[in-house]
Amino acid sequence: MLRTIMIMLVLSLSLLSCGKKSDVVEIQDWNFGGRPHLMVWLRQRAVSFEQTHPGIKIIQNDKSWNMIREILYASFTTGTGPDVVNTHANYAAEFGEAGYYYPINKFPDFEKVRATFLPEAFASTEYKGNSYGLPSSAIAFALVCNKEMFDAEGIAPPKTWSEFRAAAKRLTKDTNGDGEVDQYGLVLMGGDKGGFAYRMVPFFYKAGVNFMSDDLSKIEFNSSMGVETIALFARMYQEDHSITPGFLAYGPTETNDMLCGNKAAMAIEGPWVRGMVGAKNPSAKLVIVPVPVPDAMIDRYDTAPTLQDMVMYSVNAHSKNLDAAWEFIKYLRSEEADMDWVRLDMGGMAVTNAALASPEAQKVEDLSMFIRELKHARPFPPHPKVIAVASNTFTPFCQKAIVGDMTPQAALDQAAREALRTIEGKE
């Protein structure tokens, strides 16, 4: 009898234990990329969320930023995707169209949450009237100048194309007298196809060039000003030799090394650049300014759009715990959490009104310039295939034009033809 009672007690405790376990909602959070301290912050934030939201458990996994599309397609198509994920906001069109991201504007309190963010922060998260993520780590691309090199020449950071070309040429030189050039005016990121596009499109936008038509049915980067834009870089590379000759092989590491080692005077980067350069060369002094405009557009220097980039936190449309996932991404992107994007170097800008208006924000170097640029910035067009076009068509043909394999006109016309076939689904 005693043995029977003990068995029943063990079974009862076991059932109670199982019952408690089933009450816990598990949210799978896949984090793509980020600096080590950002990953630590996310894990700490997850623990804090669990403490304030009993009954919800966050399971966080770190994934490769360079494998976002491959990993997510493989998981979403088999129904094994995460509940929450952070990606480029430009994926809103692609994954929203595919039905993988949940339209967060369907949550009852969405408009209240939205009001806490900069209005322009949502531009790249939207597709066909829906919002597919909460903005994070805003980026507006700008021109980074090595202050020491510019001061040595007695010149100011350029505002126009002619000043930009002249500065790059003047800052390209043999510094040790051995007969070989060892300092260049400009370094480009040519080995990273996506990275190149993100750094070239700001010049197109500043020149008033559209990447695609407003109705997303036509390619427009091969307009006359588009051709002039890429021709500027072709002349700098082929005639002035002021662009680093090995740029076609350069990724983020090489471009950062060139800046840190005083081997390049200028680069096109985002808010993360001070942290990256400072980590390797604490004595480096940078001046960050808007991307130059065509000479005839100098009156629009402060208002012409650069390229906006954004990370967003999205919810899997097929999550079994939509409400819990929504609570978690709100917690990650609250005004209180966003203050850490002001206090710490997370690689991007804060995006909430309260954080950007805080006294701490007023002391952050370059932040006012980036906020101004972000106000006018434009994201890539919201087409599901725009990232494929930017990386696989726009980039290689721009590079062919720069190095002289094709004329700027021929290169962009061919790129436009192939890009049109891509967006029409013909290849």
Side-chain angles (χ1 to χ4, degrees):
M1 175 66 72
L2 181 60
R3 182 181 178 189
T4 301
I5 293 173
M6 290 298 294
I7 291 173
M8 292 297 292
L9 181 60
V10 169
L11 286 173
S12 297
L13 290 172
S14 177
L15 288 172
L16 284 172
S17 176
C18 290
K20 289 182 180 179
K21 186 175 182 181
S22 65
D23 291 338
V24 175
V25 173
E26 287 192 353
I27 295 297
Q28 292 284 337
D29 173 27
W30 286 6
N31 171 62
F32 284 91
R35 296 185 185 177
H37 65 270
L38 172 58
M39 296 180 188
V40 171
W41 182 91
L42 287 169
R43 293 188 182 281
Q44 293 172 341
R45 194 71 183 167
V47 171
S48 175
F49 177 82
E50 291 172 348
Q51 293 170 347
T52 55
H53 294 74
I56 303 178
K57 175 71 175 176
I58 305 300
I59 310 298
Q60 187 166 312
N61 290 284
D62 295 316
K63 306 288 185 180
S64 169
W65 180 262
N66 295 324
M67 294 291 288
I68 289 176
R69 293 183 76 257
E70 293 82 354
I71 292 173
L72 288 183
Y73 269 116
S75 60
F76 282 146
T77 55
T78 57
T80 59
D83 300 280
V84 170
V85 63
N86 67 304
T87 62
H88 266 305
N90 291 315
Y91 284 120
E94 184 172 357
F95 289 116
E97 178 87 344
Y100 295 144
Y101 283 170
Y102 185 78
I104 61 173
N105 48 288
K106 291 186 177 181
F107 290 112
D109 60 342
F110 170 74
E111 289 301 331
K112 180 180 179 181
V113 173
R114 181 191 179 106
T116 64
F117 289 83
L118 287 178
E120 53 269 20
F122 276 89
S124 56
T125 72
E126 297 173 338
Y127 179 63
K128 291 186 177 179
N130 285 318
S131 294
Y132 287 101
L134 288 182
S136 176
S137 302
I139 296 165
F141 283 88
L143 184 70
V144 181
C145 303
N146 183 305
K147 187 177 186 301
E148 181 181 346
M149 293 182 183
F150 273 80
D151 287 350
E153 293 296 325
I155 57 177
K159 293 184 176 182
T160 65
W161 282 6
S162 62
E163 293 174 353
F164 174 61
R165 183 180 179 185
K169 186 174 181 179
R170 185 165 175 176
L171 289 161
T172 299
K173 58 177 58 182
D174 169 17
T175 61
N176 59 13
D178 66 355
E180 294 185 5
V181 173
D182 48 28
Q183 174 183 300
Y184 291 89
L186 177 69
V187 59
L188 291 175
M189 187 185 297
D192 179 325
K193 291 193 293 184
F196 177 90
Y198 276 92
R199 287 155 179 80
M200 189 57 55
V201 169
F203 276 84
F204 279 71
Y205 278 1
K206 286 285 184 177
V209 179
N210 291 326
F211 199 84
M212 296 175 66
S213 60
D214 290 342
D215 65 2
L216 306 178
S217 66
K218 300 176 183 177
I219 300 297
E220 296 188 344
F221 56 64
N222 62 326
S223 66
S224 59
M225 279 307 296
V227 173
E228 280 302 306
T229 303
I230 204 64
L232 169 67
F233 289 88
R235 296 184 190 107
M236 290 171 66
Y237 183 84
Q238 297 173 42
E239 299 173 15
D240 304 343
H241 308 293
S242 59
I243 297 176
T244 49
F247 84 92
L248 289 175
Y250 288 173
T253 299
E254 290 79 11
T255 55
N256 192 56
D257 287 347
M258 295 292 288
L259 282 174
C260 293
N262 289 344
K263 299 297 183 182
M266 292 182 286
I268 306 138
E269 295 292 336
W272 57 78
V273 68
R274 282 195 184 276
M276 288 188 66
V277 171
K280 191 160 188 175
N281 183 3
S283 65
K285 296 181 180 179
L286 304 176
V287 177
I288 304 177
V289 297
V291 168
V293 296
D295 290 45
M297 295 174 59
I298 185 58
D299 61 323
R300 296 185 58 198
Y301 176 69
D302 289 323
T303 58
T306 186
L307 176 66
Q308 181 215 84
D309 192 16
M310 191 79 65
V311 173
M312 68 178 180
Y313 281 84
S314 301
V315 174
N316 184 347
H318 302 289
S319 170
K320 296 178 181 179
N321 302 294
L322 288 173
D323 290 338
W326 173 235
E327 289 302 315
F328 181 53
I329 68 170
K330 286 192 299 182
Y331 192 78
L332 289 178
R333 298 308 311 130
S334 70
E335 292 175 314
E336 173 259 332
D338 203 38
M339 277 302 301
D340 281 333
W341 264 254
V342 173
R343 300 184 182 110
L344 308 173
D345 181 12
M346 296 292 203
M349 294 165 51
V351 286
T352 60
N353 297 310
L356 291 172
S358 66
E360 293 98 321
Q362 313 311 310
K363 302 174 184 177
V364 177
E365 198 168 14
D366 309 314
L367 185 57
S368 61
M369 186 279 299
F370 276 118
I371 292 174
R372 185 176 67 248
E373 287 296 289
L374 187 65
K375 183 178 181 61
H376 302 288
R378 296 169 55 193
F380 273 111
H383 190 284
K385 295 184 179 179
V386 71
I387 301 302
V389 167
S391 298
N392 302 328
T393 305
F394 176 80
T395 286
F397 281 102
C398 282
Q399 291 177 345
K400 287 177 183 292
I402 291 173
V403 300
D405 289 344
M406 299 178 73
T407 67
Q409 183 75 66
L412 288 189
D413 284 346
Q414 181 65 29
R417 286 192 291 270
E418 294 193 12
L420 185 61
R421 289 179 59 82
T422 298
I423 65 173
E424 291 179 344
K426 295 179 180 178
E427 59 179 40

